[in-house]
Amino acid sequence: QVQLAESGGGSVQAGGSLRVSCAASGLTHDTYCMGWFRQAPGMEREGVGYISSNDNTNYAESVRGRFTISRDNTKNTVYLQMDRLKPDDAAMYYCAVMGPWCLGSWRTDPANYWGQGTQVTVSS
């Protein structure tokens, strides 16, 4: 019954911006820790960041200062705004329900639910 649907991926030039969305159904997302992850072919899955139920955020060092996670509770949607994109940012981006709490181990903790992913490519 719980579903997460990512959208908004696409192809941008290096230095450009893109916003991807995660629409949740079957749960009220603002009572959960919501995480963003990414995975490029041949690479390990990487934690991008999270937003907690009280809107605290945390980011991987590789994206800090360039990416911003936010919520629109009226739409039950979480966003990942990506600015100054680099070729290394190209990946499939996934959102995940991480449980009711955002933990220090969030990068490797198992998620309760995953979305299908949205593809982001960065051209030079």
Side-chain angles (χ1 to χ4, degrees):
Q1 189 173 43
V2 174
Q3 289 186 301
L4 304 175
E6 299 96 334
S7 62
S11 180
V12 297
Q13 292 188 339
S17 297
L18 199 65
R19 188 177 75 165
V20 294
S21 303
C22 174
S25 62
L27 59 80
T28 303
H29 80 98
D30 60 358
T31 64
Y32 293 89
C33 176
M34 300 294 297
W36 281 100
F37 298 80
R38 66 187 184 184
Q39 188 168 25
M43 304 292 288
E44 294 184 345
R45 186 177 63 207
E46 178 186 16
V48 175
Y50 67 72
I51 184 166
S52 74
S53 59
N54 62 354
D55 287 347
N56 290 327
T57 56
N58 194 23
Y59 303 94
E61 292 183 9
S62 59
V63 307
R64 191 171 296 145
R66 299 186 298 117
F67 289 12
T68 305
I69 300 172
S70 61
R71 296 181 184 269
D72 185 341
N73 292 336
T74 65
K75 298 180 179 179
N76 207 26
T77 298
V78 177
Y79 301 97
L80 177 64
Q81 176 69 43
M82 299 178 285
D83 297 322
R84 305 197 307 279
L85 282 160
K86 304 175 180 179
D88 286 348
D89 296 321
M92 186 73 76
Y93 282 74
Y94 301 90
C95 65
V97 178
M98 304 302 297
W101 322 112
C102 294
L103 305 176
S105 54
W106 68 274
R107 293 174 179 85
T108 56
D109 284 347
N112 296 107
Y113 303 99
W114 291 95
Q116 85 286 353
T118 187
Q119 182 69 52
V120 173
T121 59
V122 183
S123 62
S124 59

